[in-house]
Amino acid sequence: MAQKTKTGFQILTANRLRDGAVLYWKDGAWVDALADADVFESAEAADAALEAGRGFVRNQYVVTPYLFDVVLDKGTVKPVREREIIRAAGPTIRTDLGKQAKPSLEAFDVSI
């Protein structure tokens, strides 16, 4: 059940069971990017999303769905707690891997 929040805004998150990737709830499905997630302003909407997200646990797609607080800063969604800031950014090591990696086309040999 959603708790009273300090910010008034919450997002639903979970981890994909197959590879552990952090996912966020968007329109009844899971997405990879925090910026794409639904932001819930009411406890009722947050609770409904959480219950729907739990269906994906039963189907063995995600594990441990939960709600967390965010703030809206000039149209940008920002997590309040350090844990969610880190989860949104990706792994804290090996910046050449994970979400934080930005592959360059130079890294690929496309010559024929």
Side-chain angles (χ1 to χ4, degrees), residues 1-23:
M1 174 181 255
Q3 302 292 319
K4 175 98 170 118
T5 70
K6 291 180 181 180
T7 66
F9 301 104
Q10 290 186 310
I11 287 180
L12 177 61
T13 188
N15 289 88
R16 188 169 33 223
L17 186 59
R18 177 177 44 116
D19 60 5
V22 176
L23 300 175

Side-chain angles (χ1 to χ4, degrees), residues 7-8 26 32 34-36 51 70 82 108:
T7 66
K26 170 81 173 172
D32 293 330
L34 174 69
D36 294 335
E51 187 57 35
V70 295
E82 193 70 26
F108 301 99

Side-chain angles (χ1 to χ4, degrees), residues 51-64:
E51 187 57 35
R54 287 180 177 147
F56 287 80
V57 173
R58 289 186 287 277
N59 294 335
Q60 299 181 344
Y61 183 73
V62 299
V63 294
T64 321

Side-chain angles (χ1 to χ4, degrees), residues 62-77:
V62 299
V63 294
T64 321
Y66 64 91
L67 297 161
F68 67 93
D69 291 352
V70 295
V71 293
L72 301 178
D73 182 23
K74 299 176 186 169
T76 301
V77 176

